[in-house]
């Protein structure tokens, strides 16, 4: 029996299994981009990972570790004791159990019939949501009904005895209970000194005696009462969350900030006390409706797995982004787990951003403003590495933290050798990826304001980095880019990774274009930027080197070498790993060093190049290379399958495409019960959306503009999705036969190429 | 059905109940005084407190908290997976369960028949012990037998993701696996910078594949294998523990110490691998036999609860003390829990030390040497408080930490007020309690060497403190001691606490005696001490004030006032709390402030005085005061009942005495399943021994020497106990009719008063 059920807008956990709790904690995570709360159950279980994050509160647990998003005090736990016996699903008997997450309203509901060891039968309903209406709020409700009179204890509060897998982030704990019910918990991060302010208030629909209970880092209220048989007890808890880094308090002087937030939170918790769960949920739900009205994708299929997948993606895409705050990025695990420490990678720009660019351009802009503010750290990184311009951090945390990739992994436990982490040092393509995202954003939105304030500066600085990064190889009289890691992280220290070289060339070429454009069309801005960045110098650097930059071309067999050495590596039959559900299964047989010697890729690398630049090579070459590399790609990164699905679809490998597509969906939503333990895969989730819109929907942007050339999977009756193009909101409908109709929802007329033909959408 | 069974030398947990796991973790704690490991089960449960302590490794988790004994990485957990299902008693079916701790060998054994949810029947036996032969060793064994062929995974290692109730004490984690099996884990305390070095090695009686598994602060080996039906699998794990504060490494330079310890531990773990559980246990068991041969008490009763109690006490008394290390004291919870943070109180000198003084004088000496080294902090404390001499810390941690009582409790969560902790500031009697213990130790052992090196200095310095502490009250022309807390902590800020005043007077008087003695009998030492401490000055101070020190006398009703105000306080019927099992139950109805206004005592206070000085008042007065105060004493401290039991016995209140005695036994060993959660009560356990030997055995020491005037409980056929008096080992046997026979085991002849008659024991 399968534990997961897919119902389109709802995803359901059909029974309880302790060993799989982490899966559901992660994929049922609730949040709003500011706050993320894993859906750990109200009662504790061995093995649970009970995480709560506030975006941007980064802290270093110790000198030898890098900064990370700290797990703040938990409020989600609720202890229920019935006639002296604590409610727990591993004790007593479960007569029925289900938990579902409504992906379109953000509410999770758990319905249980449970018999206590003593034989009292309970009906329990647990509901909870993180508000999309007020990002500081998390609300829970418990309904409880016993078949006999019983003594009930309900205890819940704020529990600061939490860690990130054993690493502790907080000190200076202050705890208060006001008026016997308003709980307040304040703690400060140990290194970054960010104060986090939490509050909670509980209520019951029946008179109960209440006492405060405290432990070393905990604070709770304990309610004791008698319930009659079949009398429904309703417990509600409202919790609030603030931090000194919250956007709305940044205008305050640091010394007044805490007091101001305390006032604000005291006010809020008292207001919330007066409002019911239902009322607060209604408010949040209406925000979810607004969001889905703008975002939803309709698919003409009966396959509920497929239908659920897009709602699953849209849900998580919404809760991973702090839509209005340009000081925070999106973590590789979003706010759903401790994996990757809350750091942002290129995942954001190439896999997640497209969704926002095409559907919520104002959010895309916020994310790209974050990258503008990252320039501070990127310039430092360039300097430290002996380059010019801006060299983006491979991993990015707080807006101006700079590079936060660990320099070393702990000593190899077997050899004792300190292992350098190379990605932060030599995975350089991110500096081009960000430029690519900006260029695309601009093409889709025509947001000149962004470009003028931020975009051009990033492009020039990135281009200058690349120009300074090129190495002149005298005997070949050309420039090369040596010693990098491309997207395929199974190959470290390679020379002339095709993806990296082409992306670098693209970045520099774009800078030259923008140079000419500004010089002729916007002299005022040109002058400003020139005086700030010395554009002429940048142009000179690029023009000197770019023409001689080595760009790997297809060899005699038509194959573009992924790097100088790739095509000479040993061959390996990887079907065993490709056909297995196990991610990184190849590590059972080969270690990192050995993998460097085989012609296998962790993830799309050259294929990524084919995907980003559809006109770089002729169709024949592109197809040939796709086949060649797909065969050698393990998809051991969650970033990989969606890209391959889109290209497979383009090349009419329908079955392969659909299989890859389903594989991309399955990363988090599928039945592998361990894959999401550390958190959901935010880039993979962006990739799901991309397969729908860029793959089956055939949406693409290039210099000409937006084009739509759909190719629906067999058996789909239609596909309908929104697009915002140059400020105009559209709804695109693709029929079974790939006919396209476009409805304008809002905004001016726009020109779109539909299956090669230019159309004016009025 | 009762969960605890008492079998004389064995204490047994008869069935598993998750909510009571903390009780058994604590009372089944294993150790050797260096190392303490709570008996948390091999598999994890919600609510467990899984603590491992190495004595003396004190650290402050943060600036706002006081130093405490940090919970070091756990090795006790062993994960067992049978055909994909993890062994846990809250899942599957338990057909039979028992766990027992052999109090005379230190081994715990758990025998289980369990059926996995899938229906595989398992017989499991878990054994473990902390070695008394080599204090660095903890050994575990698991025997497993399935009724079907099954795939087994066993995973165990070193888990540093532990905290003290959420407070993290370690950084700089280093992890290694040597030769694929020798695990090493090194971590440093965050503030005191003590490195703790742990190692582990596992073995199986069957071929298995093994891989290392690591998490952020964890390291383990995972064994996978197939077992056949009814084939017994045996898993053994040996773990070792070292710290940079270990006595045997202190002679090394700090910079070489870690390397030396690593070498030592690498050698040890390899040696242990070659030795079986049984062999290692045999070695430890023989040390336990030596210990019990010296310590055992035989009781002529069929009551197994009683019989178990003395073995329970002797067991815990042994594992709480680092017998050969004068740099560490005994914590109020010993090494069995986080309660009281590993700090030492007067508990040691007045409740625990007598056992060692009378049975293992060399250990008593070590403990009193610790107090000598505490002088460093005691002198600072005196100075900081405006006094002279040595003012002992109310709470003591590392030998020269000084006062470690927290100055403040966190803000009162209800009022927000910062609550001062007064004990460290005004509970002064400890400085006399230590002197009393030294004086008694000397009388029992005649250890002149101790006195000359350490004892006299402490006595003089303590006496000088008291002389400086006295306050001259002009209108009464007398000295008083105002604003103290006596032993009864329900009365803060009292004046002239009888116990404190008499103890102070005793201390000063003793100093004068010792002054005269040294001046006449040991001039050389007198001169040395005089030049170091200015004995003449001390004498002058004492002689000036002592004659005018107010010592409360019985009032007209014959009652010695506990303090100036006590007898005027409101009366309260406390029978409700006295007859209840709940400790501190009075707090349900009264708060601390209110308790100050009632004539109720937390614990023996004036009665303690009557106990320590049997000849201070006539029998009539003593008895009257005992009755008066016993009636008002809640025994809400675990230090209280044993003292009252002894006096009740002396006054022939046989029934009352036996009830109090059983109450004292029950503190940890009884059926209150919550009382020991934070750790066992080491003073209470010392008190159990005291009731046997000082109470029923009637042993007492005074200026005359040792006297024995027994009074056995009705129904006991005999009582036999060891004594070491002035270096002579004796075995005392008391018959039903209180006849006494004394056998000399070893040493010279000694004179003893038996029932008032002087006897020479040859």
């Amino acid at each position: 029996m399968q534990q997961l059920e897919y119902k389109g807008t709802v995803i359901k956990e059909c029974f309880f299994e302790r060993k799989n709790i982490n899966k559901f904690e992660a994929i049922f995570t609730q949040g709003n981009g500011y706050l993320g709360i894993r859906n750990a159950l109200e009662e504790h279980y061995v093995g649970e990972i009970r995480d709560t994050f506030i975006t941007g509160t980064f802290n270093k647990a110790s000198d030898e570790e890098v900064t990370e998003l700290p797990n703040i005090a938990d409020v989600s736990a609720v202890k229920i004791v019935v006639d002296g016996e604590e409610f727990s699903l591993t004790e007593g008997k479960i007569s029925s159990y289900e938990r579902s997450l409504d992906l379109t309203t953000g509410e999770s509901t758990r319905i249980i019939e449970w018999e206590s060891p003593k034989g009292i039968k309970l009906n329990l309903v647990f509901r909870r949501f993180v508000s999309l209406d007020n990002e500081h709020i998390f609300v829970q409700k418990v309904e409880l009904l016993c078949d006999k009179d019983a003594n009930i204890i309900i205890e819940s509060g704020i529990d600061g005895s939490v860690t990130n897998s054993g690493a502790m982030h907080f000190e200076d704990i202050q705890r208060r209970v006001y008026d016997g019910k308003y709980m307040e918990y304040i703690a400060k991060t140990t290194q970054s000194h960010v104060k986090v302010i939490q509050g909670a208030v509980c209520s019951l629909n029946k008179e109960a005696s209440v006492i405060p209970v405290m432990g070393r880092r905990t604070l709770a209220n304990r309610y004791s009462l008698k319930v009659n048989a079949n009398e429904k007890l309703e417990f509600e808890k409202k919790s609030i969350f603030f931090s000194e880094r919250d956007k709305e308090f940044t205008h305050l002087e640091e010394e007044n900030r805490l007091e101001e937030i305390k006032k604000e939170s005291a006010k809020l918790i008292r207001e919330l006390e007066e409002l019911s769960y239902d009322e607060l949920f209604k408010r949040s739900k209406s925000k979810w409706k607004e969001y889905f009205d703008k975002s939803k994708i309709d698919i003409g299929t009966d396959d509920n797995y497929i239908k659920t997948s897009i709602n699953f993606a849209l849900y998580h895409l919404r809760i991973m982004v702090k839509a209005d705050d340009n000081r925070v990025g999106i973590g590789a695990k979003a706010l759903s787990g401790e994996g990757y420490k809350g750091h942002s990678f290129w995942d954001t720009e190439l896999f997640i951003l497209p969704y926002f660019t095409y559907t919520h351009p104002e959010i895309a802009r916020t994310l790209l403003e974050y990258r503008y503010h990252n320039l501070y750290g990127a310039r430092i990184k360039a300097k430290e590495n002996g380059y010019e311009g801006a060299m983006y951090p491979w991993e990015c945390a707080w807006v101006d933290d700079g590079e936060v990739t660990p320099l070393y992994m702990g000593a190899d436990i077997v050899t004792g050798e300190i292992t350098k982490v190379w990605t932060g040092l030599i995975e350089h393509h991110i500096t081009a990826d960000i430029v690519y995202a900006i260029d695309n954003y601009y093409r889709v939105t025509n947001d000149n304001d962004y470009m003028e304030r931020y975009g051009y500066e990033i492009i020039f600085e990135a281009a200058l980095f690349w120009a300074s990064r090129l190495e002149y190889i005298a005997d070949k009289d050309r420039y090369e880019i040596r010693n990098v890691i491309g997207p395929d992280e199974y190959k470290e220290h390679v020379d002339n990774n095709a993806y990296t070289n082409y992306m670098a060339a693209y970045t520099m070429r774009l800078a030259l274009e923008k140079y000419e454009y500004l010089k002729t069309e916007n002299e005022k801005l040109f002058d400003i930027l020139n005086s700030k960045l010395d554009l002429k110098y940048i142009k000179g650097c690029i023009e000197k080197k770019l023409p001689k930059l080595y760009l790997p071309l297809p060899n005699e067999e038509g194959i573009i070498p992924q790097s100088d050495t790739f095509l000479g590596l040993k061959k390996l039959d990887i079907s065993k790993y490709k056909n297995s559900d196990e991610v990184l299964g190849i590590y059972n047989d080969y270690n990192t060093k050995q993998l460097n010697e085989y012609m296998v890729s962790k993830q799309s690398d050259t294929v990524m190049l084919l995907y980003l630049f559809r006109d770089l090579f002729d169709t024949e070459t592109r197809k040939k290379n796709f086949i060649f590399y797909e065969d050698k790609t393990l998809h051991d990164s969650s970033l990989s399958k969606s890209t391959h699905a889109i290209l497979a679809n383009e090349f009419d490998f329908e079955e392969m495409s659909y299989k890859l597509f389903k594989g991309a969906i399955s990363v988090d939503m599928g039945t592998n019960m361990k894959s999401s333990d550390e958190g959901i895969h935010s880039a993979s989730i962006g990739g799901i959306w991309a397969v729908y819109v860029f793959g089956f929907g055939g949406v693409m942007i290039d210099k000409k503009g937006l084009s739509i050339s759909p190719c629906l999977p067999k058996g789909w009756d239609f596909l309908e999705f929104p697009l915002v193009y140059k400020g105009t909101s559209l709804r695109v409908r693709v029929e079974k036969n790939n006919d396209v109709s476009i409805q304008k929802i809002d905004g001016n007329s726009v020109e779109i190429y539909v299956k090669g033909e230019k159309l004016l959408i009025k």
Side-chain angles (χ1 to χ4, degrees), chain A:
Chain A
M1 185 185 170
Q2 199 170 296
Q3 198 176 358
L4 269 162
E5 198 181 314
Y6 309 95
K7 307 175 75 173
T9 58
V10 166
I11 182 162
K12 199 170 125 184
E13 178 191 37
C14 302
F15 53 87
F16 173 78
E17 182 129 34
R18 188 179 61 81
K19 68 180 180 206
N20 298 339
I21 53 175
N22 296 150
K23 171 83 173 183
F24 292 93
E25 286 165 5
I27 68 171
F28 280 26
T29 291
Q30 296 171 310
N32 50 35
Y34 167 77
L35 182 64
I37 303 183
R38 273 171 80 97
N39 215 315
L41 297 173
E42 281 74 9
E43 62 282 7
H44 289 280
Y45 293 96
V46 169
E48 67 182 19
I49 304 173
R50 192 174 284 274
D51 284 331
T52 308
F53 301 110
I54 294 180
T55 187
T57 51
F58 289 100
N59 184 62
K60 274 171 81 139
S62 66
D63 285 344
E64 74 255 36
E65 291 170 299
V66 294
T67 198
E68 70 184 325
L69 215 46
N71 183 15
I72 65 166
D74 173 69
V75 298
S76 64
V78 181
K79 183 169 160 181
I80 299 172
V81 182
V82 182
D83 269 1
E85 294 182 311
E86 194 176 334
F87 168 63
S88 168
L89 295 168
T90 55
E91 285 149 49
K93 262 184 252 160
I94 308 172
S95 310
S96 76
Y97 178 98
E98 63 166 74
R99 177 164 57 149
S100 51
L101 174 68
D102 189 325
L103 300 161
T104 62
T105 68
E107 186 189 40
S108 76
T109 308
R110 185 161 63 122
I111 304 171
I112 303 168
E113 285 173 49
W114 181 75
E115 191 178 322
S116 77
K118 272 188 193 159
I120 300 178
K121 285 187 183 137
L122 268 80
N123 288 301
L124 285 154
V125 181
F126 296 90
R127 297 175 186 281
R128 60 207 270 186
F129 67 94
V130 169
S131 177
L132 202 63
D133 178 54
N134 179 335
E135 66 187 11
H136 300 285
I137 303 177
F138 174 56
V139 193
Q140 291 166 277
K141 180 169 185 172
V142 183
E143 295 168 32
L144 180 155
L145 193 138
C146 299
D147 73 337
K148 303 187 179 65
D149 294 2
N151 291 307
I152 303 286
I153 294 172
I154 300 186
E155 187 178 314
S156 193
I158 305 175
D159 176 1
S161 70
V162 300
T163 63
N164 289 49
S165 308
M168 163 60 63
H169 281 286
F170 290 96
E171 59 186 16
D172 272 348
I173 316 297
Q174 295 170 41
R175 289 168 299 179
R176 283 293 297 276
V177 178
Y178 296 93
D179 302 340
K181 51 186 174 181
Y182 306 111
M183 292 176 269
E184 183 187 76
Y185 190 94
I186 303 177
K188 192 180 73 178
T189 57
T190 51
Q191 166 267 334
S192 57
H193 301 310
V194 179
K195 291 210 178 75
V196 170
I197 299 91
Q198 296 182 233
V201 66
C202 304
S203 60
L204 275 168
N205 67 341
K206 211 190 156 180
E207 205 63 36
S209 82
V210 51
I211 53 164
V213 189
M214 60 191 294
R216 184 159 178 180
R217 295 191 170 212
T218 64
L219 173 67
N221 271 339
R222 182 186 295 157
Y223 296 86
S224 305
L225 73 163
K226 248 192 147 64
V227 293
N228 303 322
N230 300 314
E231 172 194 26
K232 200 207 271 182
L233 185 66
E234 295 184 353
F235 170 82
E236 293 192 359
K237 180 176 182 185
K238 291 114 185 185
S239 304
I240 59 175
F241 305 79
F242 292 92
S243 101
E244 282 186 316
R245 281 202 169 160
D246 291 359
K247 204 184 157 202
E248 61 262 52
F249 302 108
T250 46
H251 66 284
L252 298 170
E253 297 288 327
E254 243 183 277
E255 57 264 39
N256 306 329
R257 213 177 279 168
L258 179 66
E259 280 317 302
E260 212 44 56
I261 298 174
K262 280 173 73 173
K263 260 188 243 163
E264 184 84 13
S265 80
K267 198 171 133 241
L268 179 58
I269 199 71
R270 282 162 180 79
E271 281 168 21
L272 292 181
E273 196 196 7
E274 301 300 314
L275 297 168
S276 68
Y277 177 97
D278 292 342
E279 171 58 27
L280 289 166
F281 178 55
K282 205 176 92 188
R283 294 181 189 185
S284 175
K285 194 172 154 185
S286 84
K287 297 289 173 181
W288 273 106
K289 186 171 180 315
E290 279 175 30
Y291 169 74
F292 264 92
D293 283 350
K294 274 194 187 169
S295 319
K296 72 166 178 235
I297 293 184
D298 292 316
I299 311 154
T301 174
D302 294 332
D303 186 338
N304 265 327
Y305 188 62
I306 300 296
K307 276 176 135 162
T308 308
S309 74
I310 189 58
N311 290 319
F312 182 80
L314 293 174
Y315 170 80
H316 278 286
L317 285 161
R318 180 60 195 88
I319 70 167
M320 70 176 69
V321 70
K322 175 80 170 91
D324 61 351
D325 192 343
N326 61 22
R327 304 166 308 148
V328 286
I330 293 175
K333 301 287 186 184
L335 301 173
S336 70
E338 294 167 23
Y340 295 111
K341 300 174 182 298
H343 296 175
S344 304
F345 297 71
W346 71 313
D347 305 38
T348 309
E349 281 67 31
L350 291 197
F351 298 88
I352 303 169
L353 196 79
Y355 163 70
F356 293 108
T357 298
Y358 282 94
T359 316
H360 302 274
E362 69 291 353
I363 297 179
R365 174 165 167 153
T366 303
L367 289 165
L368 290 173
E369 286 177 12
Y370 169 73
R371 287 307 195 180
Y372 176 77
H373 296 298
N374 289 170
L375 274 178
Y376 171 80
R379 285 181 174 122
I380 292 173
K381 184 178 175 186
K383 212 162 272 167
E384 284 176 352
N385 284 268
Y387 302 121
E388 296 177 83
M391 180 185 190
Y392 272 91
W394 176 244
E395 298 184 26
C396 207
W398 181 241
V399 61
D400 54 14
D401 276 345
E403 181 62 76
V404 294
T405 309
L407 269 178
Y408 298 97
M409 292 212 286
D412 183 295
I413 56 165
V414 175
T415 65
E417 276 168 35
I418 304 288
T419 318
K420 245 187 171 161
V421 176
W422 287 105
T423 51
L425 297 166
I426 63 170
E427 192 154 354
H428 292 168
H429 59 82
I430 186 166
T431 297
D433 304 331
I434 289 169
V435 167
Y436 182 92
I438 290 169
D439 191 20
N440 264 264
Y441 168 77
Y442 178 58
R443 287 184 197 172
V444 175
T445 62
N446 207 26
D447 181 354
N448 276 303
D449 184 70
Y450 174 81
M451 292 303 285
E452 290 171 9
R453 286 175 196 259
Y454 313 114
Y456 292 125
E457 190 170 333
I458 295 176
I459 293 168
F460 289 123
E461 286 284 89
L464 178 59
F465 159 71
W466 283 115
S468 74
R469 174 66 181 85
L470 302 185
E471 295 156 78
Y472 183 67
I473 308 300
D475 61 349
K476 293 178 178 163
D477 185 27
R478 71 184 189 191
Y479 286 90
E480 297 192 355
I481 302 176
R482 295 192 167 179
N483 190 28
V484 294
I485 301 175
D488 169 17
E489 295 179 345
Y490 284 168
K491 299 286 165 290
E492 292 181 334
H493 306 295
V494 299
D495 297 338
N496 298 309
N497 167 255
Y499 177 85
T500 304
N501 285 25
Y502 276 99
M503 289 294 282
Y506 154 80
T507 302
M508 290 184 279
R509 224 175 276 133
L510 186 69
L512 294 182
E513 274 171 34
K514 297 301 182 191
Y515 181 99
E516 293 309 327
Y517 167 79
L518 287 174
K519 203 160 162 40
T520 53
E521 307 287 328
N522 191 343
E523 221 181 311
K524 195 174 143 208
L525 182 61
F526 180 88
D527 290 342
I528 293 170
L529 288 174
N530 189 38
S531 73
K532 187 175 179 187
L533 307 174
D534 197 350
L535 297 189
K536 288 174 187 169
Y537 169 74
I538 296 176
K539 181 175 181 245
C541 292
I542 297 174
E543 283 179 337
K544 184 182 147 208
K545 298 180 176 176
L546 180 56
K548 288 196 174 177
L549 170 56
Y550 166 54
L551 294 171
L553 291 173
N555 66 10
E556 283 163 12
E557 285 83 41
I559 301 305
I560 306 147
Q562 183 181 305
S563 69
D564 283 357
T565 45
F566 191 86
L567 299 181
L569 297 177
K570 290 181 267 185
K571 284 181 185 159
L572 188 68
D573 176 11
I574 57 166
S575 50
K576 167 180 162 193
Y577 312 107
K578 281 185 85 112
N579 295 327
S580 146
D581 261 1
E582 191 182 5
V583 181
L584 304 175
I586 197 162
Y587 276 113
N588 298 337
D589 303 318
Y590 300 90
N591 67 24
T592 309
K593 195 161 163 266
Q594 291 167 325
L595 281 177
N596 268 297
E597 297 164 7
Y598 286 96
M599 216 191 286
V600 292
S601 295
K602 182 180 176 192
Q603 64 195 94
S604 60
D605 186 312
T606 306
V607 170
M608 195 70 201
L609 185 65
L610 304 175
Y611 167 65
L612 296 181
F613 302 100
R614 306 287 177 103
D615 50 5
L616 199 55
F617 302 100
D618 60 75
T619 307
E620 178 80 359
T621 306
R622 296 179 72 237
K623 195 164 172 172
K624 190 181 270 177
N625 275 276
F626 173 74
I627 295 166
F628 179 83
Y629 282 108
E630 159 57 25
D631 187 47
K632 288 158 190 66
T633 301
L634 284 162
H635 303 299
D636 278 346
S637 159
S638 69
L639 282 60
S640 192
K641 279 186 181 165
S642 57
T643 308
H644 281 240
I646 292 168
L647 287 196
N649 194 58
E650 185 188 337
F651 299 134
D652 289 329
F653 300 135
E654 207 178 301
E655 204 178 317
M656 182 197 281
S657 172
Y658 212 67
K659 197 182 153 206
L660 285 161
F661 164 58
K662 285 197 137 181
I665 291 175
S666 302
V667 169
D668 289 304
M669 211 183 76
T671 54
N672 178 333
M673 288 292 153
K674 290 290 149 205
S675 61
S676 307
D677 288 3
E678 306 272 290
I680 56 88
H681 301 72
S682 47
S684 162
I685 285 169
I688 296 172
W689 179 90
V691 182
Y692 280 101
V693 175
F694 299 155
F696 308 135
V699 168
M700 218 185 68
I701 193 120
D702 59 17
K703 287 189 181 166
K704 250 173 25 192
L706 190 77
S707 68
I708 302 180
S709 300
C711 178
L712 291 201
K714 232 181 277 176
W716 286 18
D717 287 335
F718 66 90
L719 175 70
E720 215 185 277
F721 55 88
L723 282 181
V724 183
Y725 181 51
K726 294 186 173 173
T728 301
S729 293
L730 307 169
R731 189 133 186 107
V732 179
R733 184 175 168 97
V734 181
E735 303 299 339
K736 198 180 175 66
N737 61 2
N738 294 319
D739 278 358
V740 176
S741 56
I742 303 179
Q743 190 198 344
K744 199 187 81 178
I745 309 290
D746 193 35
N748 302 321
S749 306
V750 282
E751 277 184 1
I752 295 182
Y753 291 84
V754 176
K755 298 205 266 188
E757 205 177 311
K758 196 199 278 190
L759 286 179
L760 181 66
I761 314 296
K762 290 191 281 202

